[in-house]
């Protein structure tokens, strides 16, 4: 007859198993939380109307930390050559590379088959655009290793963690902020500054990572207009006067007035760059 303790030994059970399982679960939760935080941050940027800059810098720092800690290896298979491209082994980057690395990162986040991340949908396109935008900033900083902690061990600073600590030498050479050229050991940068500095780094052909292509333009204003248009159209389709909240009509009228003023100003600016002949032809049209 097999004793109970021998059965436990045979099948690998012992008094420490519960503790081991608990540790595995806790470790898994930490990993999952890291992914979920990034997905939540992306969604917050998609739907957010304020504090976008600090959310972008937080997302970028999360991506940098994830890659530097080895949680994901950025690589993809080139569809044209059939060869594998690994971020660690390249010193020149293209838009195709960024798309490939973003697809790789989508797999890490576990959303590669999520329909809300499909690039054929509006929300999918917006999520991918946000991720690509952060990747264009993150990749040069990973290659250069310019993001730092301060003496207190903090990675972020500023109002609602809207700035990162950056190596002073990197900032002196690539930052668009004149104050960063003073030669201090460490500076702080907002997302817009870090984005421009990263692009300047990529434009420098002597660096460890260069590019002949530009990062995607900041189309946040256009994206906001498109999102608002979709919202208004959806509301129009279900328009029931009694269900409309107080002030909705007035808000729409104010928006209409703002659009008219914007269009008028846009046309004035456009005409100011035209030749007299072009202006005359425009007026005759």
């Amino acid at each position: 007859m097999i004793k109970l303790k021998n059965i436990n030994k045979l099948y690998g059970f012992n008094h420490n198993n519960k503790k081991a399982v608990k540790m595995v679960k806790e470790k898994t939760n930490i990993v999952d939380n890291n992914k979920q935080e990034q997905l939540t941050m992306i969604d917050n940027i998609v739907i957010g109307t304020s504090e976008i800059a600090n959310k972008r810098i937080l997302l970028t720092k999360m991506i940098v930390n994830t890659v530097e800690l080895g949680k994901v290896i950025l690589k993809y298979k080139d569809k044209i050559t059939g060869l594998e491209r690994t971020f660690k082994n390249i010193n020149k980057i293209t838009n195709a590379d960024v798309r490939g690395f973003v697809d790789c990162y989508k797999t890490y986040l576990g959303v590669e088959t999520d329909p809300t991340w499909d690039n054929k949908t509006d929300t999918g396109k917006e999520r991918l655009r946000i991720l690509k935008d952060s990747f264009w900033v993150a990749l040069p900083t990973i290659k250069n290793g310019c993001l730092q902690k301060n003496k207190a061990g903090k990675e972020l600073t500023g109002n609602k963690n809207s700035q990162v600590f950056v190596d002073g030498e990197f900032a002196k050479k690539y930052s668009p902020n004149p104050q960063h050229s003073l030669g201090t050991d460490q500076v702080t940068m907002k997302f817009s500054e870090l984005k421009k500095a990263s692009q300047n780094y990529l434009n420098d052909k002597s660096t460890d990572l260069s590019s002949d292509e530009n990062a995607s333009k900041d189309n946040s204003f256009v994206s906001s207009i498109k999102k608002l248009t979709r919202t208004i159209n959806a509301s129009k389709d279900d328009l029931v006067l009694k269900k409309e909240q107080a002030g909705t009509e007035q808000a729409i009228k104010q928006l209409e007035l703002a659009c008219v003023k914007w269009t008028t100003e846009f046309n004035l600016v456009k005409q100011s760059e035209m030749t007299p002949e072009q202006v005359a032809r425009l007026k005759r049209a």
Side-chain angles (χ1 to χ4, degrees):
M1 181 175 181
I2 302 176
K3 295 182 179 180
L4 179 61
K5 64 178 183 179
N6 290 334
I7 293 176
N8 287 341
K9 186 176 181 181
L10 179 64
Y11 288 97
F13 297 132
N14 57 59
H15 66 282
N16 289 322
N17 271 5
K18 289 184 179 179
K19 185 177 180 181
V21 170
K22 183 179 179 182
M23 290 175 65
V24 170
K25 285 184 177 178
E26 287 177 351
K27 186 175 181 181
T28 302
N29 286 336
I30 292 172
V31 174
D32 289 344
N33 286 342
N34 174 57
K35 296 177 183 179
Q36 190 56 53
E37 283 178 12
Q38 295 185 54
L39 292 172
T40 301
M41 190 63 64
I42 292 169
D43 285 345
N44 286 340
I45 296 171
V46 170
I47 65 176
T49 56
S50 61
E51 301 174 7
I52 297 297
N54 72 300
K55 290 184 176 73
R56 286 181 178 275
I57 203 73
L58 282 168
L59 174 62
T60 303
K61 192 69 180 80
M62 287 177 180
I63 293 170
V64 171
N65 288 348
T66 299
V67 176
E68 288 186 340
L69 290 173
K71 294 180 179 180
V72 59
I73 297 174
L74 297 178
K75 60 182 180 180
Y76 75 100
K77 189 173 183 180
D78 190 300
K79 293 180 180 179
I80 297 176
T81 64
L83 300 176
E84 186 176 84
R85 296 271 288 173
T86 305
F87 175 66
K88 183 180 179 180
N89 298 331
I90 65 174
N91 54 24
K92 192 168 186 177
I93 196 167
T94 65
N95 275 299
D97 290 324
V98 174
R99 286 194 298 271
F101 295 143
V102 165
D103 284 341
C104 174
Y105 205 76
K106 278 176 60 183
T107 301
Y108 163 74
L109 293 175
V111 295
E112 70 275 19
T113 59
D114 190 328
T116 64
W117 276 79
D118 193 318
N119 61 8
K120 294 179 181 179
T121 66
D122 287 339
T123 54
K125 287 178 182 177
E126 187 66 10
R127 286 184 172 94
L128 289 172
R129 184 190 66 80
I130 290 166
L131 197 54
K132 287 176 185 176
D133 209 28
S134 285
F135 257 71
W136 273 107
V137 180
L139 295 179
T141 63
I142 294 169
K143 206 72 164 180
N144 182 268
C146 61
L147 297 190
Q148 301 178 334
K149 296 180 181 180
N150 68 356
K151 292 180 180 179
K154 293 183 178 181
E155 296 179 319
L156 300 160
T157 187
N159 183 33
K160 296 185 178 180
N161 290 328
S162 58
Q163 299 176 53
V164 288
F165 295 100
V166 182
D167 173 64
E169 195 62 34
F170 176 90
K172 182 179 179 181
K173 195 168 184 179
Y174 301 111
S175 173
N177 189 338
Q179 294 296 319
H180 294 163
S181 63
L182 300 178
T184 54
D185 291 337
Q186 190 178 77
V187 303
T188 59
M189 284 190 191
K190 297 178 289 188
F191 181 78
S192 58
E193 293 173 328
L194 188 62
K195 182 177 182 179
K196 182 60 179 175
S198 294
Q199 191 64 55
N200 290 339
Y201 178 86
L202 290 172
N203 291 337
D204 184 352
K205 306 308 176 187
S206 66
T207 62
D208 290 336
L209 189 69
S210 63
S211 178
D212 294 327
E213 301 176 19
N214 292 321
S216 56
K217 294 181 180 179
D218 184 4
N219 292 322
S220 55
F221 176 71
V222 175
S223 297
S224 297
I225 296 297
K226 289 181 177 179
K227 183 165 62 177
L228 181 58
T229 302
R230 291 195 299 269
T231 303
I232 293 173
N233 286 336
S235 176
K236 172 180 64 64
D237 293 338
D238 299 324
L239 184 61
V240 178
L241 190 59
K242 292 181 180 179
K243 291 185 179 180
E244 284 302 299
Q245 296 179 354
T248 301
E249 182 182 5
Q250 186 61 31
I252 291 292
K253 287 182 177 179
Q254 289 175 350
L255 176 62
E256 180 185 13
L257 180 60
C259 289
V260 170
K261 288 182 178 179
W262 187 94
T263 303
T264 301
E265 186 65 24
F266 175 80
N267 288 333
L268 289 174
V269 173
K270 186 177 179 180
Q271 289 180 26
S272 69
E273 297 179 354
M274 290 181 176
T275 64
E277 292 79 10
Q278 289 175 322
V279 174
R281 282 198 300 269
L282 181 64
K283 289 180 177 180
R284 288 196 300 269

